[in-house]
Amino acid sequence: MFFGFLVHAQEVNFEYLNENLPLEERVEILVSQMSTEEKVSQLMNGAAPIERLKVPNYNWWNEALHGIARNGKATIFPQGIGMGATFDPELVERVASAVSTEARAKYIISQRMGNHSKYAGLTFWTPNVNIFRDPRWGRGQETYGEDPYLMSKIGVAFVKGLQGNDPQYLKTAACAKHFAVHSGPEESRHRFNAEPNQQDLYETYFPAFETLVKEAKVEGVMAAYNAVYGKPACASPFLLQEVLKDQWGFDGYITSDCGAVNGVYGKQKFVGTPEEAAAVSLKAGTNLNCGKTYSNLLKALEKGLVTEELIHERTKQLYKTRFRLGMFDKQDDHPYFNVSADNIHSDEHVALAREAAQKSIVLLKNKDNVLPLSKDIKVPYVTGPFANSSDMLMGSYYGVSSSLVTILEGITDAVSLGSSLNYRSGALPFHDNINPKNWAPNVAAESDVTICVVGLTADREGEEVDAIASADIGDKVDLKLPENQINYVKQIIEKKKGPLVLVVASGSPVSLEGIEEHCDAILQIWYPGEQGGHAVADILFGDVSPSGHLPITFPKNVEQLPDYSDYSMQGRTYKYMTEDPMFPFGFGLTYSKTVFQDLNLSDTKLRKNQALSVTVEVSNEGEYNIDEVVQLYVCPKGVSGGIPIKSLKAFKRIHLNKGESKNLEFVLEPDQLKVVNEKGEKVWRKGYYNIVVGNASPGDLSVNLGAAIPQTASLQLR
């Protein structure tokens, strides 16, 4: 037996370790030496070792939504929706680059100690670029908002930061999920069949995925749980072959969501047996099964449902990714292979988490300029169920950190040592206090300002299996704060002496009907990450002017929304909503006054294939240095054929010192001026349009709430 083993070992061709050979050749040399059983063992997320070929085991399932998740100490950045609120792709790329640096450092340590477990690898199943089409969706917090253009820009930045810019190696491998047409309800995500019209598919549901594939060269794509046009996404030749590969030229790996291949014959009942489910998924294009249903591929092979050639090709694609990550190379001098442990949760990354949180916070209201507060305020009062909550900071898909800063801690560090800072939680997170006696509201009657921190957490809204405080499987049935929190805020309103500053933590729009009018200032802080407390204090006390803008519309109430399970976009998001919401998309105040003027178009009449140059002057006429997000919208003067009422087409985050003016130019390529028609085709639609530049989505409501008066120019497409 020992002699046989030696002979067998001598037959192995280790030329696949030759780094000078082309990638395709190295992959072919390695995979062609695997038996069919060995190949099948590589097609599941827990890929088995193949010792005779010197292939270690590897688990493909890793998470990094806003920092390394589920894998020990790491920097926790703001949740995805908060990154969307920054409108700052450059910042987001820096965040993702910090995440991938920490990932490489942690991977080196894990490999040395023999930890090849789930979450300890380099293939990250992020970002989530599903459109946040309905604010009731618990997982919307993972996304960058409701707008396809914003989603694309932030998503591309995140992928580039994760994957790096080396011509040969991936720093880490990103994965765009969940493809496609997936945004709740959570309760039925394993069973529902989405049948969007072609216009919505190509205008709303596809663009972010297409951009991440074509522009960011994202390495992976995750197929969703649900069916699209009657076929489970992971078994859909239309999605995975026709669109992803043939139309978009995708050359990465495709993974199922976890358990989704099992669902093809289980909850979806698309086929009758596990081997049929494995076969239709593999044939459609799914390389990797997160789960174990692909273990039935050998039985499928016996039954003639798949071929050995197909198993070989699907395995090769997975090894392209592993080789691109350098997993079989000894490039000891390459920076990706020499990232030291002191990069993990470094001072630089902690400072970046604070900056990202600062730029994500949205000032929704500031009556009589009550903010910023003086640090010498005599009697500030901090209260609310999340004022001293570390859990609130984290959102879903989080890592762990030893330096979480709560809102109370951030304020404590910011105010004068002579201030009589007081704190009481006042209310439990999601249900009535057990003790009917509660002195907390009375403290507001003795305080110069009351800062009340309310909202939700990922326990209340999130993925179906994680949102343990949700009675609706992770989703929301309405948009209100929990009733006990509403009642507590009303008690404070009744008792307060000084102004009330409401700080709202959530990953989704929260309706403030009935209490908004009684609040002097309102901050939307999302789930701001480990430095959230410092960032909120930086805003409250004027060290930094707020500069976040809403990446999603905040409706007044759930009655303004279409049926949750309806995937038609009509009536949804700022692009199609006709009623005034509570707070519009793109809205966010600063501590200063922004003025737009001198809007000019390079042409007022354009023919097909002509680009448009738009210039505008932006001035800061207030007393604070600020960052401002300049937004350009195209609004057809006559809306017909299902096209959007208005569409974000460009934006720039700029810094303006007080008294400073800047001239900006936006160039809209002809493709950006086209619309998607009812057949799903991009067409040059002749007619008249308004080009609107401001700091919020166009409409009287934005200006009435305090946004700058936008500039408008007319354009004819001929």
Side-chain angles (χ1 to χ4, degrees), residues 406-427:
T406 69
I407 309 300
L408 177 62
E409 290 170 334
I411 292 172
T412 301
D413 269 354
V415 297
S416 168
L417 294 175
S419 294
S420 296
L421 176 63
N422 203 341
Y423 163 72
R424 280 176 170 81
S425 65

Side-chain angles (χ1 to χ4, degrees), residues 354-599:
R354 185 170 181 168
E355 179 189 353
Q358 290 168 348
K359 292 181 176 179
S360 73
I361 293 170
V362 183
L363 179 62
L364 296 175
K365 182 177 182 179
N366 195 20
K367 182 181 177 182
D368 298 329
N369 296 319
V370 64
L371 295 180
L373 301 169
S374 168
K375 293 181 181 179
D376 291 330
I377 191 166
K378 293 176 182 177
V379 187
Y381 177 36
V382 177
T383 188
F386 300 118
N388 199 28
S389 168
S390 298
D391 197 52
M392 172 276 290
L393 303 171
M394 300 166 77
S396 61
Y397 284 87
Y398 49 83
V400 291
S401 169
S402 56
S403 60
L404 294 160
V405 182
T406 69
I407 309 300
L408 177 62
E409 290 170 334
I411 292 172
T412 301
D413 269 354
V415 297
S416 168
L417 294 175
S419 294
S420 296
L421 176 63
N422 203 341
Y423 163 72
R424 280 176 170 81
S425 65
L428 295 172
F430 307 125
H431 56 79
D432 289 338
N433 295 350
I434 298 168
N435 183 349
K437 295 184 177 182
N438 184 11
W439 188 252
N442 296 298
V443 181
E446 305 168 344
S447 305
D448 296 327
V449 65
T450 298
I451 301 166
C452 184
V453 187
V454 296
L456 310 172
T457 71
D459 287 339
R460 184 76 168 193
E461 57 172 358
E463 195 161 8
E464 61 166 353
V465 295
D466 291 326
I468 58 175
S470 169
D472 304 293
I473 321 296
D475 290 332
K476 303 187 299 186
V477 294
D478 60 45
L479 308 181
K480 298 188 296 184
L481 290 170
E483 196 66 29
N484 70 303
Q485 293 187 34
I486 294 173
N487 292 336
Y488 180 58
V489 173
K490 287 181 176 178
Q491 288 177 312
I492 290 175
I493 291 167
E494 189 177 315
K495 299 281 188 179
K496 70 183 180 76
K497 179 185 76 171
L500 170 60
V501 177
L502 195 69
V503 177
V504 183
S506 69
S508 62
V510 170
S511 170
L512 299 176
E513 275 193 314
I515 57 177
E516 177 274 331
E517 57 267 35
H518 302 291
C519 299
D520 297 280
I522 302 172
L523 286 178
Q524 173 67 38
I525 67 168
W526 316 107
Y527 300 134
E530 67 171 64
Q531 290 296 300
H534 283 320
V536 170
D538 293 337
I539 299 293
L540 287 173
F541 296 99
D543 289 341
V544 176
S545 173
S547 59
H549 288 252
L550 294 181
I552 182 170
T553 302
F554 275 43
K556 292 177 181 176
N557 50 53
V558 76
E559 284 73 30
Q560 289 191 313
L561 301 174
D563 181 76
Y564 183 15
S565 60
D566 183 356
Y567 269 77
S568 168
M569 288 305 298
Q570 289 306 307
R572 296 189 183 282
T573 76
Y574 80 95
K575 296 177 72 172
Y576 303 97
M577 190 173 181
T578 55
E579 298 179 69
D580 275 346
M582 178 164 281
F583 296 108
F585 174 87
F587 178 74
L589 302 172
T590 71
Y591 288 153
S592 203
K593 180 184 179 182
T594 302
V595 174
F596 293 90
Q597 54 192 5
D598 294 334
L599 178 66

Side-chain angles (χ1 to χ4, degrees), residues 542-712:
D543 289 341
V544 176
S545 173
S547 59
H549 288 252
L550 294 181
I552 182 170
T553 302
F554 275 43
K556 292 177 181 176
N557 50 53
V558 76
E559 284 73 30
Q560 289 191 313
L561 301 174
D563 181 76
Y564 183 15
S565 60
D566 183 356
Y567 269 77
S568 168
M569 288 305 298
Q570 289 306 307
R572 296 189 183 282
T573 76
Y574 80 95
K575 296 177 72 172
Y576 303 97
M577 190 173 181
T578 55
E579 298 179 69
D580 275 346
M582 178 164 281
F583 296 108
F585 174 87
F587 178 74
L589 302 172
T590 71
Y591 288 153
S592 203
K593 180 184 179 182
T594 302
V595 174
F596 293 90
Q597 54 192 5
D598 294 334
L599 178 66
N600 288 292
L601 309 183
S602 56
D603 287 285
T604 57
K605 297 178 181 180
L606 285 184
R607 294 194 181 277
K608 194 182 295 187
N609 299 325
Q610 277 187 279
L612 177 70
S613 171
V614 181
T615 57
V616 68
E617 183 181 283
V618 190
S619 302
N620 177 1
E621 295 187 359
E623 297 301 316
Y624 292 86
N625 300 333
I626 61 169
D627 276 10
E628 183 60 275
V629 176
V630 181
Q631 304 163 41
L632 186 154
Y633 295 83
V634 174
C635 310
K637 290 188 178 181
V639 177
S640 62
I643 66 173
I645 300 166
K646 47 196 157 187
S647 298
L648 179 69
K649 294 295 184 180
F651 62 87
K652 287 183 183 179
R653 174 184 269 266
I654 61 172
H655 183 78
L656 289 170
N657 291 323
K658 59 182 180 181
E660 184 179 11
S661 297
K662 287 184 177 178
N663 292 304
L664 301 185
E665 180 184 22
F666 297 98
V667 177
L668 299 184
E669 298 299 332
D671 200 54
Q672 290 178 276
L673 293 168
K674 292 179 180 179
V675 300
V676 176
N677 67 16
E678 292 171 306
K679 296 179 181 179
E681 304 162 332
K682 267 193 171 182
V683 296
W684 186 267
R685 178 181 175 273
K686 295 179 181 180
Y688 291 90
Y689 298 78
N690 281 330
I691 304 296
V692 185
V693 179
N695 59 1
S697 55
D700 292 340
L701 177 63
S702 294
V703 175
N704 292 341
L705 290 171
I709 297 172
Q711 293 282 291
T712 302

Side-chain angles (χ1 to χ4, degrees), residues 84-378:
T86 69
F87 280 69
D88 193 342
E90 183 274 332
L91 170 68
V92 170
E93 185 170 348
R94 285 193 285 130
V95 166
S97 182
V99 172
S100 57
T101 295
E102 295 194 8
R104 275 288 177 177
K106 294 177 77 67
Y107 182 72
I108 291 168
I109 299 168
S110 297
Q111 290 292 299
R112 286 174 183 163
M113 62 187 285
N115 178 11
H116 298 178
S117 64
K118 183 165 62 175
Y119 309 133
L122 294 173
T123 46
F124 292 112
W125 291 349
T126 196
N128 182 341
V129 290
N130 292 125
I131 288 294
F132 199 169
R133 69 180 175 92
D134 192 298
R136 288 166 287 198
W137 186 33
R139 295 190 71 181
Q141 62 177 287
E142 301 173 28
T143 77
Y144 306 126
E146 72 182 17
D147 181 72
Y149 180 76
L150 175 64
M151 184 81 77
S152 299
K153 289 298 183 183
I154 301 296
V156 164
F158 203 86
V159 170
K160 287 183 174 180
L162 282 184
Q163 296 192 168
N165 56 10
D166 189 272
Q168 183 175 359
Y169 292 111
L170 291 168
K171 194 177 179 188
T172 66
C175 177
K177 67 182 185 185
H178 310 82
F179 191 60
V181 200
H182 182 89
S183 51
E186 279 294 290
E187 183 275 332
S188 59
R189 67 177 181 163
H190 299 280
R191 304 184 306 275
F192 78 81
N193 174 40
E195 296 203 358
N197 63 53
Q198 293 297 294
Q199 190 170 41
D200 288 342
L201 190 67
Y202 285 92
E203 169 72 31
T204 298
Y205 294 116
F206 273 176
F209 288 98
E210 181 178 6
T211 306
L212 264 59
V213 167
K214 290 183 173 179
E215 187 176 331
K217 308 299 181 186
V218 68
E219 183 67 14
V221 169
M222 177 183 283
Y225 283 121
N226 56 284
V228 180
Y229 303 130
K231 292 187 177 182
C234 63
S236 170
F238 166 68
L239 289 178
L240 306 187
Q241 183 64 49
E242 184 179 332
V243 174
L244 196 54
K245 294 178 182 177
D246 296 344
Q247 291 184 22
W248 299 347
F250 178 63
D251 181 33
Y253 78 96
I254 299 170
T255 181
S256 74
D257 206 337
C258 297
V261 177
N262 179 276
V264 171
Y265 79 93
K267 293 180 178 178
Q268 299 262 14
K269 302 189 185 308
F270 181 67
V271 295
T273 66
E275 56 268 28
E276 289 175 313
V280 295
S281 299
L282 193 77
K283 286 196 286 188
T286 300
N287 303 93
L288 189 74
N289 169 206
C290 182
K292 297 182 179 179
T293 309
Y294 269 11
S295 61
N296 293 281
L297 282 171
L298 294 174
K299 190 181 292 186
L301 184 63
E302 290 174 9
K303 292 184 175 182
L305 300 175
V306 294
T307 64
E308 288 200 35
E309 290 78 14
L310 183 63
I311 292 172
H312 183 75
E313 288 304 312
R314 296 292 185 253
T315 307
K316 281 176 59 178
Q317 191 66 54
L318 292 173
Y319 273 87
K320 283 185 183 179
T321 299
R322 290 181 71 170
F323 274 94
R324 286 166 179 161
L325 287 164
M327 290 182 174
F328 300 97
D329 291 3
K330 294 182 179 179
Q331 292 282 355
D332 295 331
D333 60 339
H334 194 281
Y336 293 169
F337 300 93
N338 290 279
V339 183
S340 61
D342 57 12
N343 285 280
I344 300 169
H345 200 256
S346 65
D347 290 345
E348 179 186 352
H349 292 175
V350 171
L352 181 58
R354 185 170 181 168
E355 179 189 353
Q358 290 168 348
K359 292 181 176 179
S360 73
I361 293 170
V362 183
L363 179 62
L364 296 175
K365 182 177 182 179
N366 195 20
K367 182 181 177 182
D368 298 329
N369 296 319
V370 64
L371 295 180
L373 301 169
S374 168
K375 293 181 181 179
D376 291 330
I377 191 166
K378 293 176 182 177

